[in-house]
PDB file of all heavy atoms in Angstrom:
ATOM      1  N   HIS A 875      88.993 -55.890 -38.593  1.00 97.00           N
ATOM      2  CA  HIS A 875      89.312 -57.320 -38.736  1.00 97.00           C
ATOM      3  C   HIS A 875      89.540 -57.682 -40.195  1.00 97.00           C
ATOM      4  O   HIS A 875      90.445 -58.456 -40.518  1.00 97.00           O
ATOM      5  CB  HIS A 875      88.152 -58.165 -38.186  1.00 97.00           C
ATOM      6  CG  HIS A 875      87.938 -58.006 -36.720  1.00 97.00           C
ATOM      7  ND1 HIS A 875      88.791 -58.526 -35.787  1.00 97.00           N
ATOM      8  CD2 HIS A 875      86.969 -57.366 -36.022  1.00 97.00           C
ATOM      9  CE1 HIS A 875      88.348 -58.226 -34.576  1.00 97.00           C
ATOM     10  NE2 HIS A 875      87.249 -57.516 -34.687  1.00 97.00           N
ATOM     11  N   TRP A 932      78.771 -50.941 -36.517  1.00 98.00           N
ATOM     12  CA  TRP A 932      79.454 -52.176 -36.111  1.00 98.00           C
ATOM     13  C   TRP A 932      80.878 -51.810 -35.718  1.00 98.00           C
ATOM     14  O   TRP A 932      81.673 -51.355 -36.540  1.00 98.00           O
ATOM     15  CB  TRP A 932      79.479 -53.207 -37.260  1.00 98.00           C
ATOM     16  CG  TRP A 932      79.833 -54.602 -36.802  1.00 98.00           C
ATOM     17  CD1 TRP A 932      78.961 -55.626 -36.594  1.00 98.00           C
ATOM     18  CD2 TRP A 932      81.139 -55.122 -36.493  1.00 98.00           C
ATOM     19  NE1 TRP A 932      79.645 -56.741 -36.156  1.00 98.00           N
ATOM     20  CE2 TRP A 932      80.982 -56.467 -36.089  1.00 98.00           C
ATOM     21  CE3 TRP A 932      82.429 -54.600 -36.509  1.00 98.00           C
ATOM     22  CZ2 TRP A 932      82.049 -57.283 -35.715  1.00 98.00           C
ATOM     23  CZ3 TRP A 932      83.499 -55.396 -36.130  1.00 98.00           C
ATOM     24  CH2 TRP A 932      83.297 -56.723 -35.742  1.00 98.00           C
ATOM     25  N   GLY A 933      81.222 -51.984 -34.460  1.00 97.00           N
ATOM     26  CA  GLY A 933      82.582 -51.726 -33.982  1.00 97.00           C
ATOM     27  C   GLY A 933      83.011 -52.821 -33.036  1.00 97.00           C
ATOM     28  O   GLY A 933      82.177 -53.506 -32.443  1.00 97.00           O
ATOM     29  N   HIS A 934      84.309 -53.026 -32.911  1.00 97.00           N
ATOM     30  CA  HIS A 934      84.795 -54.045 -31.976  1.00 97.00           C
ATOM     31  C   HIS A 934      86.209 -53.759 -31.479  1.00 97.00           C
ATOM     32  O   HIS A 934      86.419 -53.408 -30.332  1.00 97.00           O
ATOM     33  CB  HIS A 934      84.734 -55.432 -32.637  1.00 97.00           C
ATOM     34  CG  HIS A 934      85.223 -56.531 -31.759  1.00 97.00           C
ATOM     35  ND1 HIS A 934      86.030 -57.545 -32.200  1.00 97.00           N
ATOM     36  CD2 HIS A 934      85.026 -56.765 -30.440  1.00 97.00           C
ATOM     37  CE1 HIS A 934      86.295 -58.369 -31.203  1.00 97.00           C
ATOM     38  NE2 HIS A 934      85.707 -57.913 -30.125  1.00 97.00           N
ATOM     39  N   HIS A 962      75.982 -56.140 -32.546  1.00 98.00           N
ATOM     40  CA  HIS A 962      76.940 -57.049 -31.917  1.00 98.00           C
ATOM     41  C   HIS A 962      77.842 -56.332 -30.900  1.00 98.00           C
ATOM     42  O   HIS A 962      77.335 -55.756 -29.943  1.00 98.00           O
ATOM     43  CB  HIS A 962      77.743 -57.786 -33.006  1.00 98.00           C
ATOM     44  CG  HIS A 962      78.607 -58.855 -32.446  1.00 98.00           C
ATOM     45  ND1 HIS A 962      78.095 -59.870 -31.676  1.00 98.00           N
ATOM     46  CD2 HIS A 962      79.958 -59.064 -32.500  1.00 98.00           C
ATOM     47  CE1 HIS A 962      79.090 -60.648 -31.281  1.00 98.00           C
ATOM     48  NE2 HIS A 962      80.230 -60.180 -31.757  1.00 98.00           N
ATOM     49  N   SER A 963      79.166 -56.337 -31.117  1.00 98.00           N
ATOM     50  CA  SER A 963      80.092 -55.788 -30.119  1.00 98.00           C
ATOM     51  C   SER A 963      80.012 -54.269 -30.024  1.00 98.00           C
ATOM     52  O   SER A 963      80.679 -53.668 -29.167  1.00 98.00           O
ATOM     53  CB  SER A 963      81.523 -56.222 -30.445  1.00 98.00           C
ATOM     54  OG  SER A 963      81.744 -56.269 -31.826  1.00 98.00           O
ATOM     55  N   TYR A 983      81.312 -63.722 -22.328  1.00 97.00           N
ATOM     56  CA  TYR A 983      81.221 -64.062 -23.755  1.00 97.00           C
ATOM     57  C   TYR A 983      81.982 -65.354 -24.009  1.00 97.00           C
ATOM     58  O   TYR A 983      82.832 -65.756 -23.227  1.00 97.00           O
ATOM     59  CB  TYR A 983      81.765 -62.926 -24.627  1.00 97.00           C
ATOM     60  CG  TYR A 983      83.240 -62.653 -24.454  1.00 97.00           C
ATOM     61  CD1 TYR A 983      84.183 -63.289 -25.270  1.00 97.00           C
ATOM     62  CD2 TYR A 983      83.698 -61.764 -23.479  1.00 97.00           C
ATOM     63  CE1 TYR A 983      85.536 -63.031 -25.098  1.00 97.00           C
ATOM     64  CE2 TYR A 983      85.045 -61.512 -23.312  1.00 97.00           C
ATOM     65  CZ  TYR A 983      85.968 -62.148 -24.131  1.00 97.00           C
ATOM     66  OH  TYR A 983      87.293 -61.913 -23.965  1.00 97.00           O
ATOM     67  N   ARG A 984      81.610 -66.022 -25.097  1.00 97.00           N
ATOM     68  CA  ARG A 984      82.288 -67.242 -25.513  1.00 97.00           C
ATOM     69  C   ARG A 984      82.087 -67.394 -27.015  1.00 97.00           C
ATOM     70  O   ARG A 984      80.979 -67.224 -27.518  1.00 97.00           O
ATOM     71  CB  ARG A 984      81.696 -68.456 -24.784  1.00 97.00           C
ATOM     72  CG  ARG A 984      82.366 -69.801 -25.139  1.00 97.00           C
ATOM     73  CD  ARG A 984      81.753 -70.969 -24.364  1.00 97.00           C
ATOM     74  NE  ARG A 984      80.331 -71.089 -24.630  1.00 97.00           N
ATOM     75  CZ  ARG A 984      79.380 -70.938 -23.709  1.00 97.00           C
ATOM     76  NH1 ARG A 984      79.686 -70.673 -22.469  1.00 97.00           N
ATOM     77  NH2 ARG A 984      78.113 -71.042 -24.052  1.00 97.00           N
ATOM     78  N   HIS A 985      83.146 -67.685 -27.735  1.00 96.00           N
ATOM     79  CA  HIS A 985      83.053 -67.849 -29.184  1.00 96.00           C
ATOM     80  C   HIS A 985      82.619 -69.273 -29.524  1.00 96.00           C
ATOM     81  O   HIS A 985      83.098 -70.234 -28.942  1.00 96.00           O
ATOM     82  CB  HIS A 985      84.406 -67.568 -29.854  1.00 96.00           C
ATOM     83  CG  HIS A 985      84.839 -66.141 -29.724  1.00 96.00           C
ATOM     84  ND1 HIS A 985      86.064 -65.689 -30.143  1.00 96.00           N
ATOM     85  CD2 HIS A 985      84.189 -65.064 -29.222  1.00 96.00           C
ATOM     86  CE1 HIS A 985      86.166 -64.394 -29.896  1.00 96.00           C
ATOM     87  NE2 HIS A 985      85.036 -63.991 -29.338  1.00 96.00           N
ATOM     88  N   SER A1013      77.788 -68.897 -33.247  1.00 98.00           N
ATOM     89  CA  SER A1013      77.635 -67.507 -32.844  1.00 98.00           C
ATOM     90  C   SER A1013      78.573 -67.220 -31.686  1.00 98.00           C
ATOM     91  O   SER A1013      79.322 -68.092 -31.233  1.00 98.00           O
ATOM     92  CB  SER A1013      76.175 -67.263 -32.439  1.00 98.00           C
ATOM     93  OG  SER A1013      75.906 -65.881 -32.348  1.00 98.00           O
ATOM     94  N   GLU A1014      78.548 -65.981 -31.219  1.00 97.00           N
ATOM     95  CA  GLU A1014      79.268 -65.644 -30.000  1.00 97.00           C
ATOM     96  C   GLU A1014      78.257 -65.448 -28.892  1.00 97.00           C
ATOM     97  O   GLU A1014      77.282 -64.711 -29.072  1.00 97.00           O
ATOM     98  CB  GLU A1014      80.090 -64.359 -30.170  1.00 97.00           C
ATOM     99  CG  GLU A1014      80.806 -63.970 -28.878  1.00 97.00           C
ATOM    100  CD  GLU A1014      81.656 -62.709 -28.987  1.00 97.00           C
ATOM    101  OE1 GLU A1014      81.535 -61.998 -30.004  1.00 97.00           O
ATOM    102  OE2 GLU A1014      82.417 -62.442 -28.050  1.00 97.00           O
ATOM    103  N   MET A1015      78.479 -66.117 -27.771  1.00 98.00           N
ATOM    104  CA  MET A1015      77.584 -65.993 -26.632  1.00 98.00           C
ATOM    105  C   MET A1015      77.884 -64.697 -25.881  1.00 98.00           C
ATOM    106  O   MET A1015      79.041 -64.410 -25.559  1.00 98.00           O
ATOM    107  CB  MET A1015      77.783 -67.192 -25.692  1.00 98.00           C
ATOM    108  CG  MET A1015      76.890 -67.190 -24.462  1.00 98.00           C
ATOM    109  SD  MET A1015      77.526 -66.202 -23.078  1.00 98.00           S
ATOM    110  CE  MET A1015      78.879 -67.223 -22.515  1.00 98.00           C
ATOM    111  N   TYR A1016      76.828 -63.906 -25.629  1.00 98.00           N
ATOM    112  CA  TYR A1016      76.850 -62.846 -24.628  1.00 98.00           C
ATOM    113  C   TYR A1016      75.828 -63.262 -23.582  1.00 98.00           C
ATOM    114  O   TYR A1016      74.879 -63.994 -23.905  1.00 98.00           O
ATOM    115  CB  TYR A1016      76.411 -61.501 -25.226  1.00 98.00           C
ATOM    116  CG  TYR A1016      77.382 -60.809 -26.160  1.00 98.00           C
ATOM    117  CD1 TYR A1016      76.930 -59.805 -27.007  1.00 98.00           C
ATOM    118  CD2 TYR A1016      78.729 -61.120 -26.193  1.00 98.00           C
ATOM    119  CE1 TYR A1016      77.791 -59.126 -27.865  1.00 98.00           C
ATOM    120  CE2 TYR A1016      79.601 -60.454 -27.050  1.00 98.00           C
ATOM    121  CZ  TYR A1016      79.127 -59.456 -27.877  1.00 98.00           C
ATOM    122  OH  TYR A1016      79.973 -58.792 -28.724  1.00 98.00           O
ATOM    123  N   ALA A1057      72.221 -58.266 -31.083  1.00 98.00           N
ATOM    124  CA  ALA A1057      73.491 -58.881 -30.684  1.00 98.00           C
ATOM    125  C   ALA A1057      74.158 -59.782 -31.728  1.00 98.00           C
ATOM    126  O   ALA A1057      75.389 -59.748 -31.867  1.00 98.00           O
ATOM    127  CB  ALA A1057      73.289 -59.652 -29.376  1.00 98.00           C
ATOM    128  N   GLY A1059      76.179 -61.361 -34.751  1.00 98.00           N
ATOM    129  CA  GLY A1059      76.987 -60.696 -35.772  1.00 98.00           C
ATOM    130  C   GLY A1059      78.474 -60.727 -35.514  1.00 98.00           C
ATOM    131  O   GLY A1059      79.202 -59.823 -35.940  1.00 98.00           O
ATOM    132  N   HIS A1060      78.957 -61.797 -34.852  1.00 97.00           N
ATOM    133  CA  HIS A1060      80.399 -61.919 -34.607  1.00 97.00           C
ATOM    134  C   HIS A1060      81.142 -62.117 -35.932  1.00 97.00           C
ATOM    135  O   HIS A1060      80.678 -62.840 -36.804  1.00 97.00           O
ATOM    136  CB  HIS A1060      80.656 -63.080 -33.654  1.00 97.00           C
ATOM    137  CG  HIS A1060      82.085 -63.249 -33.302  1.00 97.00           C
ATOM    138  ND1 HIS A1060      82.770 -62.311 -32.564  1.00 97.00           N
ATOM    139  CD2 HIS A1060      82.982 -64.230 -33.607  1.00 97.00           C
ATOM    140  CE1 HIS A1060      84.025 -62.724 -32.413  1.00 97.00           C
ATOM    141  NE2 HIS A1060      84.179 -63.873 -33.040  1.00 97.00           N
ATOM    142  N   GLU A1061      82.333 -61.499 -36.030  1.00 97.00           N
ATOM    143  CA  GLU A1061      83.046 -61.453 -37.315  1.00 97.00           C
ATOM    144  C   GLU A1061      83.538 -62.807 -37.818  1.00 97.00           C
ATOM    145  O   GLU A1061      83.794 -62.972 -39.010  1.00 97.00           O
ATOM    146  CB  GLU A1061      84.232 -60.472 -37.213  1.00 97.00           C
ATOM    147  CG  GLU A1061      85.392 -60.911 -36.322  1.00 97.00           C
ATOM    148  CD  GLU A1061      85.184 -60.559 -34.851  1.00 97.00           C
ATOM    149  OE1 GLU A1061      84.106 -60.037 -34.509  1.00 97.00           O
ATOM    150  OE2 GLU A1061      86.101 -60.825 -34.047  1.00 97.00           O
ATOM    151  N   GLU A1062      83.677 -63.798 -36.933  1.00 97.00           N
ATOM    152  CA  GLU A1062      84.197 -65.101 -37.370  1.00 97.00           C
ATOM    153  C   GLU A1062      83.147 -65.974 -38.052  1.00 97.00           C
ATOM    154  O   GLU A1062      83.489 -67.052 -38.534  1.00 97.00           O
ATOM    155  CB  GLU A1062      84.753 -65.868 -36.162  1.00 97.00           C
ATOM    156  CG  GLU A1062      86.015 -65.276 -35.585  1.00 97.00           C
ATOM    157  CD  GLU A1062      86.455 -66.020 -34.341  1.00 97.00           C
ATOM    158  OE1 GLU A1062      85.731 -65.973 -33.325  1.00 97.00           O
ATOM    159  OE2 GLU A1062      87.521 -66.656 -34.386  1.00 97.00           O
ATOM    160  N   TYR A1063      81.890 -65.540 -38.031  1.00 97.00           N
ATOM    161  CA  TYR A1063      80.817 -66.359 -38.595  1.00 97.00           C
ATOM    162  C   TYR A1063      80.039 -65.522 -39.621  1.00 97.00           C
ATOM    163  O   TYR A1063      79.853 -64.318 -39.436  1.00 97.00           O
ATOM    164  CB  TYR A1063      79.868 -66.837 -37.487  1.00 97.00           C
ATOM    165  CG  TYR A1063      80.625 -67.362 -36.289  1.00 97.00           C
ATOM    166  CD1 TYR A1063      80.524 -66.733 -35.040  1.00 97.00           C
ATOM    167  CD2 TYR A1063      81.478 -68.458 -36.412  1.00 97.00           C
ATOM    168  CE1 TYR A1063      81.242 -67.196 -33.946  1.00 97.00           C
ATOM    169  CE2 TYR A1063      82.202 -68.919 -35.326  1.00 97.00           C
ATOM    170  CZ  TYR A1063      82.086 -68.283 -34.097  1.00 97.00           C
ATOM    171  OH  TYR A1063      82.806 -68.717 -33.014  1.00 97.00           O
TER     172      TYR A1063
HETATM  173 ZN1   ZN B 497      82.228 -60.807 -31.433  1.00 57.23          ZN
END
Side-chain angles (χ1 to χ4, degrees):
H875 295 288
W932 195 101
H934 179 223
H962 188 56
S963 36
Y983 65 92
R984 181 179 59 243
H985 294 174
S1013 194
E1014 178 179 11
M1015 181 276 288
Y1016 287 162
H1060 182 66
E1061 69 275 4
E1062 291 176 294
Y1063 314 117

